[in-house]
């Protein structure tokens, strides 16, 4: 005997859909925008897959989304530097923001802070971590990408 079940009931019973955020080429931007973005992702319980460049404010993901919801592929790279004011307000000059850097650092877990410290601290120059042991000390590899 077959039963007919309306599609709307099946959809309702299936539970909320969770999507992965796949970061492939994110060079950063405004810190406040990243805070809001990652807080939404955390609230929805979504997973973040870093599958390419994640520089600057993008790296705030490690302080906002739970670490068990973040993983990296072999293509992942992270980049860290001092925070600076929007050049639109500083006549095109890069002017460091100590308050912005302090805020940024306050979000990082100890593993990120330790890597930054071991590599000379934050500077104006981008310091990068590519796939390998240093990166895996911060975040786990995505199992489906390696096996």
């Amino acid at each position: 005997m077959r039963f007919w079940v309306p599609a709307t009931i099946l959809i309702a019973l299936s539970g909320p859909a969770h999507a992965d955020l796949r970061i492939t080429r994110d060079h950063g931007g405004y810190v406040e925008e990243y805070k809001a973005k990652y807080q939404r992702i955390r609230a929805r319980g979504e997973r973040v897959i870093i599958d390419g460049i994640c520089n600057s404010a993008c790296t705030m993901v490690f302080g906002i989304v739970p670490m068990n919801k973040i993983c990296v592929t072999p293509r992942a790279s992270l980049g860290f530097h001092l925070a600076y004011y929007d050049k639109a307000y500083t006549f095109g000059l890069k002017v460091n923001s100590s308050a912005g850097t302090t805020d940024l650092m306050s979000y990082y877990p100890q593993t990120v802070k330790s890597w930054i410290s071991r590599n000379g601290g934050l500077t104006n120059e981008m310091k990068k971590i590519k796939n390998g042991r240093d990166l895996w000390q911060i975040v786990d590899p995505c199992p489906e990408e390696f096996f």
Side-chain angles (χ1 to χ4, degrees):
M1 177 178 239
R2 288 189 166 159
F3 294 97
W4 180 79
V5 180
T8 54
I9 292 174
L10 290 175
I11 291 169
L13 293 174
S14 67
H18 293 282
D20 291 338
L21 170 65
R22 186 172 290 267
I23 297 171
T24 58
R25 188 176 292 178
D26 191 326
H27 295 283
Y30 296 109
V31 167
E32 294 304 319
E33 290 175 8
Y34 280 83
K35 286 180 189 178
K37 173 183 175 177
Y38 292 143
Q39 287 167 352
R40 286 190 303 272
I41 289 167
R42 180 186 65 211
R44 292 192 300 252
E46 294 177 2
R47 185 172 76 145
V48 176
I49 299 168
I50 301 175
D51 188 28
I53 297 167
C54 178
N55 289 348
S56 195
C58 175
T59 62
M60 291 182 70
V61 68
F62 298 112
I64 300 172
V65 175
M67 291 302 286
N68 67 349
K69 293 284 192 176
I70 306 170
C71 66
V72 293
T73 73
R75 293 172 292 281
S77 84
L78 308 177
F80 302 92
H81 64 83
L82 288 169
Y84 55 89
Y85 294 100
D86 185 339
K87 290 186 206 176
Y89 301 106
T90 59
F91 305 103
L93 301 172
K94 187 183 262 188
V95 177
N96 293 336
S97 167
S98 59
T101 299
T102 299
D103 184 36
L104 187 67
M105 289 293 289
S106 75
Y107 279 86
Y108 291 146
Q110 191 56 49
T111 52
V112 172
K113 290 177 184 177
S114 294
W115 184 90
I116 290 170
S117 178
R118 283 192 315 273
N119 288 274
L122 294 179
T123 65
N124 285 328
E125 299 300 316
M126 186 78 68
K127 294 186 178 183
K128 294 189 176 191
I129 307 174
K130 298 204 179 228
N131 188 46
R133 190 180 59 153
D134 280 350
L135 182 58
W136 301 336
Q137 287 177 344
I138 293 171
V139 59
D140 291 331
C142 303
E144 67 273 18
E145 297 286 336
F146 284 83
F147 304 106

